[in-house]
Amino acid sequence: MKNIVILISGRGSNFEAILRASREQRWEQNPGARIAAVISNRPGARGLETARREGIPAVAVDHKLYPTREAFEERLAQEVDRFEPDLIVLAGFMRILTERFVAPREGKILNIHPALLPLFKGLDTHQRAIDAGVRVHGSTVHFVSAALDGGAIIGQAVVPVLPSDTAETLAARGLELEHVLYPRVCRAVLEGRVRLEDGRAVMDDDTARELAIFA
Ligand code: GAR
């Protein structure tokens, strides 16, 4: 059985979408995977409550209790490794992970970023997209590398930007598709249909089509 460890910082709606897909599609049977734990750097994260309610181990590693990023990360790594993860899924996890965490786990960590990378790395992506006047926006799932929002792109979901949009309405439109995209990417990686090779996400044409989603 492959273990998925999900890292969150808040609401956890992407975690819920992955959980729902894993149950509806019986991932325990095929590809043989389960969500082994949900870990949050914020003890009050709503997603931790969801995990507990669903019988999934829920762990808080409060970054505020550690004097340095390195100390926090070391503790986080211990907690993550306890669940022997085959896949580490960052789902609204709002702490930067350094080389020390990422390098030994390269190719096993995914992140979802609310923009069409390589555009709009970092924070406040929806307002920045509106301000830039782009007509499409969306979300990207990528392998995590030590460069912030810079790892190999696996899949993207594209939504229109409407003249009436606020950052909130645009975020909501994007989030709906994130809930379709992220479970698909997780499954494809777990099935070995997507791999990290020489800094690129390698997959066949059918998988690439499945992981390009348009509103
Ligand atoms: C998602 O929209 C995700 O793309 C974004 O946070 C939201 C988390 O929602 N991630 C980032 O901004 C990462 N820098 P959720 O907690 O409901 O899944």
Side-chain angles (χ1 to χ4, degrees):
M1 184 69 68
K2 289 187 168 148
N3 291 317
I4 307 166
V5 171
I6 300 189
L7 304 191
I8 63 166
S9 295
R11 183 175 53 189
S13 71
N14 277 290
F15 149 52
E16 283 184 60
I18 294 164
L19 176 63
R20 203 175 315 121
S22 74
R23 287 187 174 160
E24 283 172 10
Q25 300 166 13
R26 301 177 192 282
W27 288 8
E28 292 213 357
Q29 283 161 34
N30 182 25
R34 57 143 184 243
I35 299 177
V38 175
I39 301 177
S40 173
N41 65 301
R42 292 188 186 278
R46 204 166 88 198
L48 283 182
E49 282 172 42
T50 311
R52 281 187 204 106
R53 204 171 55 233
E54 297 293 338
I56 297 167
V59 179
V61 181
D62 185 349
H63 66 276
K64 293 193 183 129
L65 300 180
Y66 299 86
T68 61
R69 188 179 293 281
E70 288 67 34
F72 161 69
E73 214 172 65
E74 203 171 309
R75 184 82 192 103
L76 180 71
Q78 282 173 358
E79 287 298 327
V80 168
D81 289 347
R82 209 152 64 77
F83 296 98
E84 302 181 353
D86 298 282
L87 187 63
I88 300 165
V89 175
L90 312 188
F93 182 69
M94 302 306 282
R95 304 299 295 174
I96 290 171
L97 295 171
T98 72
E99 180 89 37
R100 273 252 293 267
F101 184 94
V102 174
R105 301 171 180 83
E106 200 135 33
K108 289 209 310 198
I109 317 176
L110 308 181
N111 181 45
I112 190 157
H113 178 73
L116 294 175
L117 290 172
L119 289 175
F120 309 124
K121 295 176 179 177
L123 297 175
D124 206 17
T125 54
H126 308 297
Q127 191 57 52
R128 285 162 60 209
I130 290 170
D131 293 347
V134 293
R135 288 273 71 98
V136 293
H137 183 55
S139 296
T140 302
V141 177
H142 62 92
F143 283 113
V144 172
S145 71
L148 179 67
D149 299 328
I153 292 171
I154 304 171
Q156 294 186 301
V158 183
V159 297
V161 181
L162 306 180
S164 61
D165 267 330
T166 61
E168 288 69 35
T169 60
L170 186 54
R173 190 174 308 120
L175 189 66
E176 234 178 89
L177 284 201
E178 288 191 358
H179 297 163
V180 180
L181 175 66
Y182 217 174
R184 278 193 200 175
V185 172
C186 289
R187 181 164 192 156
V189 173
L190 288 162
E191 288 178 347
R193 287 187 287 130
V194 178
R195 300 176 309 281
L196 181 67
E197 272 178 35
D198 299 328
R200 315 261 316 171
V202 176
M203 67 195 85
D204 63 21
D205 284 5
D206 287 342
T207 301
R209 269 185 203 290
E210 187 194 326
L211 304 183
I213 298 179
F214 302 89

